[in-house]
Structures are given as structure tokens and as C-alpha cells.
């Protein structure tokens, strides 16, 4: 089943599952808002169809900025996470 073009926010998009998901969504022709921590590298993404937001989803001010930027999106992939050992 192929989805029509949609706009999706992906948190944790600079690495791991978030990165793989973002790349697959772009390959399928969707527009993205990608989110990850300040200093994250998004050089692997094309400059078109992508809006980059640097923020920490554990910070309320950053969450508010992500929510504001995501007005009108069709979907959300929450892949942000932190593993502490």
C-alpha cells in the first residue's frame, strides 16, 4: 500500500531507528521535520523536503518549539531516546 505524500515529524532522526525511518520516508517522497539534539549531524539528508529542528524532547521549551513547528503535520515518529548504562 502506497501512502499519498504527507508531512511527518521524526524525533531522534540523526541516528538509529529515527535516521532509518527518516531516510525511508524521504525515499517514499514525504516531507519531513526532523528533530534531534543540538550538534547532531544531518548531512545525510537532502536540503529539500526537510526542515531541521535542533532540540531536546526532554526539555519543555524545546518540546513547545517542536510542537509549534509541527502544526499541520500528518504523522509523528517518536524515535528519540537515551540509553544510560
Amino acid at each position: 500500500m502506497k501512502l499519498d505524500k504527507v508531512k511527518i515529524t521524526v524525533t531522534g532522526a540523526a541516528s538509529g531507528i529515527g535516521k532509518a525511518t527518516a531516510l525511508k520516508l524521504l525515499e517514499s517522497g514525504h516531507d519531513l521535520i526532523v528533530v534531534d539534539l543540538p550538534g547532531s549531524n544531518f548531512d545525510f539528508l537532502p536540503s529539500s523536503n526537510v526542515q531541521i529542528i535542533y532540540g531536546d524532547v526532554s526539555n519543555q521549551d524545546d518540546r513547545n518549539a517542536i510542537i509549534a513547528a509541527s502544526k499541520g503535520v500528518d504523522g509523528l515518529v517518536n524515535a528519540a531516546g537515551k540509553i544510560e548504562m
Side-chain angles (χ1 to χ4, degrees), residues 12 16-17 20-21 26 35-36 39-41 43 46 58 63 65 67 70:
I17 293 169
T21 302
L26 281 172
V35 181
D36 217 310
S40 296
N41 183 349
D43 289 348
S58 69
R63 282 195 308 270
I67 291 166
S70 295

Side-chain angles (χ1 to χ4, degrees), residues 4-5 12 20-21 25 28 33-35 48 52-53 55-56 58-59 62 64 70 75 78 81 83-84:
D4 292 332
K5 183 176 181 173
T21 302
L25 290 167
S28 297
I33 297 173
V34 294
V35 181
S48 61
I52 297 171
I53 298 176
D56 183 342
S58 69
N59 176 284
D62 289 351
N64 290 340
S70 295
N78 278 317
I83 298 173
E84 293 189 25

Side-chain angles (χ1 to χ4, degrees), residues 1-10 21 24-32 73-77:
M1 180 174 109
K2 181 140 172 78
L3 294 174
D4 292 332
K5 183 176 181 173
V6 296
K7 187 171 188 178
I8 302 169
T9 298
V10 181
T21 302
K24 186 65 175 174
L25 290 167
L26 281 172
E27 181 183 301
S28 297
H30 302 297
D31 294 330
L32 299 184
V73 299
D74 303 295
L76 171 65
V77 177

